[in-house]
Amino acid sequence: MSTPSDHAAEAGQRTADRRAELAGALARVRQDIAEACAAVGRDPAEVRLLAVTKTFPATDVALLTDLGLTDFAENRDQEAGPKAAELARLRPGARVRWHMVGRLQRNKARSVLHWADQVQSVDSVRLVEALARAVAAAREAGRRHAPLEVFVQASIDGDPSRGGCPLPELPELASAVVRHSEQLTLRGVMAVAPREARPSDAFAELAEAFDRLRHYHPEATELSAGMSGDFADAIAHGSTCVRVGTALLGGRRLASP
Ligand SMILES: *Cc1c(COP(=O)(O)O)cnc(C)c1O
């Protein structure tokens, strides 16, 4: 018969195994980022690593904070809010930043402010307006002080099904953010490579659009591009922020929209 202390020992072993697994994966991802940077003469310090923790539990996020990661990304408000709250209970002292990278409904603009330090998936003028109103309301209520950092999300192939704003409309979207600069700070551009295209072609096109945008908005210094399968290509084309899920945490069992 197994006793409570057997169960505790098993749980402790599972945690130790998972920590070792995450440590190994993190070392490999860091090494791959370093190699991708070296191949194009970039300094790895220019490339931030966002761990995309969607579908994985807060206990994994806690282990990743122990391993020195500070930036975590989620794609669903309903999942991320409780997870961020649980992490705060598991690691009360940890300084972490949460990033929203998934499609955001306008009626979730208020809710996302409860957990997200940055929203990278801003893809319409109406969403800009909803977020600006939500930030203004939170400040009036004394719940926050600073503006919200946002990225405009570009759709490289113009296919709206995966979110993002078509490249020709990106300047207008960025201007909408800047019109609300009391509430929103434009940090950069985010994109997901289209499934059909070669990542290096897609990221080359994105890099051009990013350069054009920065001509008008030099404050938009960040390019968030590259996931587990294509971050080396994204780094070659100037990415300053890679969003890595599978390569760090393993395959996702649950479907994630
Ligand atoms: C899930 C997700 C990622 C991470 O994808 P992986 O292939 O698991 O690394 C990156 N960016 C966005 C917007 C995502 O939704």
Side-chain angles (χ1 to χ4, degrees), residues 8-201:
E10 271 169 38
Q13 187 57 48
R14 272 199 304 278
T15 301
D17 290 350
R18 184 59 170 155
R19 179 179 289 118
E21 196 170 72
L22 292 173
L26 177 59
R28 282 190 296 278
V29 167
R30 288 225 163 104
Q31 178 68 28
D32 289 349
I33 291 173
E35 281 170 16
C37 286
V40 292
R42 294 187 61 195
D43 177 353
E46 292 170 14
V47 180
R48 221 147 41 94
L49 172 60
L50 250 67
V52 183
T53 48
K54 64 189 181 195
T55 79
F56 289 95
T59 49
D60 278 350
V61 185
L63 293 174
L64 288 171
T65 65
D66 298 343
L67 294 167
L69 279 187
T70 53
D71 287 272
F72 301 98
E74 290 281 330
N75 70 338
R76 289 173 63 236
D77 175 66
Q78 310 89 290
E79 179 182 341
K83 197 182 293 186
E86 194 183 340
L87 180 71
R89 281 192 298 274
L90 292 170
R91 294 292 185 276
R95 280 184 64 85
V96 303
R97 284 170 60 78
W98 288 96
H99 307 261
M100 172 59 164
V101 299
R103 292 200 95 168
L104 182 60
Q105 312 262 306
R106 279 177 289 137
N107 62 11
K108 295 288 172 58
R110 279 169 185 262
S111 176
V112 81
L113 295 183
H114 289 131
W115 60 272
D117 296 292
Q118 269 188 358
V119 176
Q120 293 204 348
S121 45
V122 173
D123 64 355
S124 75
V125 173
R126 296 175 74 189
L127 179 56
V128 168
E129 288 166 353
L131 284 168
R133 277 195 303 275
V135 172
R139 291 170 105 175
E140 253 163 57
R143 281 196 310 276
R144 75 177 291 137
H145 301 288
L148 175 71
E149 297 184 1
V150 302
F151 287 51
V152 287
Q153 184 183 350
S155 166
I156 300 170
D157 63 354
D159 173 1
S161 67
R162 305 183 76 194
C165 155
L167 294 182
E169 293 162 29
L170 207 57
E172 199 182 310
L173 180 59
S175 299
V177 174
V178 171
R179 273 203 301 281
H180 293 279
S181 60
E182 232 180 284
Q183 318 296 1
L184 306 175
T185 302
L186 180 65
R187 292 300 309 276
V189 174
M190 188 271 261
V192 178
R195 269 193 203 92
E196 315 301 324
R198 276 183 40 205
S200 58
D201 294 342

Side-chain angles (χ1 to χ4, degrees), residues 155-158 167-168 194 197-212 237:
S155 166
I156 300 170
D157 63 354
L167 294 182
R198 276 183 40 205
S200 58
D201 294 342
F203 291 135
E205 204 177 328
L206 176 67
E208 276 178 32
F210 179 55
D211 278 347
R212 285 195 298 274
H237 288 96

